[in-house]
Amino acid sequence: MVTRSLIFVVALAVSSLAARGQAALTITLADRALQPGELVVVTIAATGASAIDAVTVHAFGRDVPAFETGDGTWRAIAGLDLDTKPGPATVDVTATVDGRSVQATRDCRILAKTFPTRRLRVAPDYVNPPPDILARIQRDATLLERTWAATSPTRLWDGPFVRPVPQRANSAFGTRSIFNGEPRSPHSGADFLSPAGTPVHAPNAGRVLVAENLYFTGNTVVVDHGLGLLSLFAHLSRMDVKAGEMVATGQVLGAVGSTGRVTGPHLHWTLRAGGARVDPLSLLALLGRDAG
């Protein structure tokens, strides 16, 4: 369930400043839960008819770009990374309101989360790759690291996000993975048990940054939605787009397949928000077509 809350300290400060005729900010957080791997939508508003001209946001230890919503408020999409430690956290906002600099802070607490463990059997070369593959794996890793940092400074998405495939996710984000009895990195996306050949649709508009075959993720497409929000789709049987291409919401990116390190056909969707690894299902819950 998505929660929305206002910090009482900020609310009291707003009331006090408003009574003295001074501009003040309110900070609202929308989230499924303040836990590792979750997306958090930060909304900033000013009192009365005050106009916000610019906003900077530092949320959960990261700088997060903000954008105007068109209704007088500003919004920032923050991510709580998979490895975020539980405990106190803050969202700090500085805004220019009616020509003056105004600051506000939202205090909150990150809750602990326990992730399940899954055990999978795959081809041995995908657990302990042969030496002649290591250079390719390093190249793939470098490509993706550069891609996560290559996001557009402007918002490319427009309107609600949509599901890339109609099937439900069958593998939980953050699951600790053990391949052939050996622990590996946590599962940083959501898997959809879609039949081979199922069309994969862009969840929203953006620019294709990667469309190529990678060792572990097979045929892989990465779409930059702008402002640090990027989608990666893996294990495709085919790719219908090219790097540099602009795509629209719902456009077919390729088809579900079983390329790379897999146990069978499915779609893997990874989401990054400002560098944080977050559950794509939290994006659909907060900013999706059926969001509350």
Side-chain angles (χ1 to χ4, degrees):
M1 179 180 294
V2 177
T3 62
R4 293 176 172 83
S5 55
L6 282 175
I7 183 169
F8 294 115
V9 174
V10 171
L12 291 173
V14 168
S15 298
S16 177
L17 289 170
R20 297 198 300 270
Q22 299 180 33
L25 302 174
T26 58
I27 304 172
T28 305
L29 305 183
D31 53 82
R32 295 192 306 180
L34 283 175
Q35 292 180 309
E38 291 293 323
L39 204 68
V40 182
V41 177
V42 182
T43 302
I44 302 102
T47 56
S50 300
I52 302 177
D53 300 314
V55 173
T56 59
V57 178
H58 187 77
F60 314 116
R62 300 170 184 264
D63 291 327
V64 184
F67 59 94
E68 293 183 81
T69 63
D71 62 0
T73 65
W74 286 61
R75 182 171 286 177
I77 311 301
L80 293 172
D81 186 73
L82 188 58
D83 289 336
T84 300
K85 303 297 183 184
T90 60
V91 176
D92 299 305
V93 175
T94 301
T96 303
V97 183
D98 296 333
R100 296 183 178 183
S101 179
V102 182
Q103 296 180 325
T105 296
R106 166 73 159 95
D107 294 315
C108 53
R109 176 170 289 276
I110 308 302
L111 303 177
K113 184 171 184 177
T114 300
F115 294 99
T117 297
R118 63 175 184 171
R119 299 176 183 273
L120 302 171
R121 301 294 301 181
V122 297
D125 284 357
Y126 284 110
V127 180
N128 296 295
D132 61 334
I133 296 295
L134 297 182
R136 179 188 177 189
I137 292 173
Q138 182 57 53
R139 183 195 71 84
D140 292 351
T142 300
L143 171 65
L144 289 178
E145 285 304 313
R146 290 175 178 171
T147 299
W148 302 138
T151 181
S152 169
T154 58
R155 182 163 65 105
L156 302 179
W157 83 84
D158 183 33
F161 284 75
V162 300
R163 299 176 65 86
V165 290
Q167 292 79 18
R168 290 184 175 275
N170 74 307
S171 180
F173 171 88
T175 301
R176 275 37 186 173
S177 301
I178 299 178
F179 288 98
N180 298 2
E182 299 185 33
R184 289 296 184 266
S185 300
H187 190 234
S188 59
D191 286 347
F192 299 80
L193 193 58
S194 303
T198 301
V200 176
H201 301 271
N204 213 311
R207 179 180 288 106
V208 177
L209 299 184
V210 173
E212 61 182 274
N213 184 273
L214 306 182
Y215 185 72
F216 285 117
T217 54
N219 289 333
T220 304
V221 171
V222 179
V223 177
D224 174 26
H225 304 296
L227 298 183
L229 205 60
L230 300 103
S231 290
L232 177 151
F233 298 98
H235 312 306
L236 305 178
S237 61
R238 70 170 198 269
M239 296 174 285
D240 296 340
V241 292
K242 297 179 180 179
E245 181 178 345
M246 297 297 297
V247 296
T249 303
Q251 182 173 333
V252 175
L253 304 175
V256 172
S258 55
T259 57
R261 184 171 65 185
V262 294
T263 56
H266 70 281
L267 175 67
H268 173 94
W269 179 14
T270 284
L271 182 71
R272 290 289 181 105
R277 299 166 294 173
V278 294
D279 186 349
L281 297 184
S282 68
L283 173 69
L284 294 177
L286 295 166
L287 300 175
R289 182 169 291 169
D290 300 323

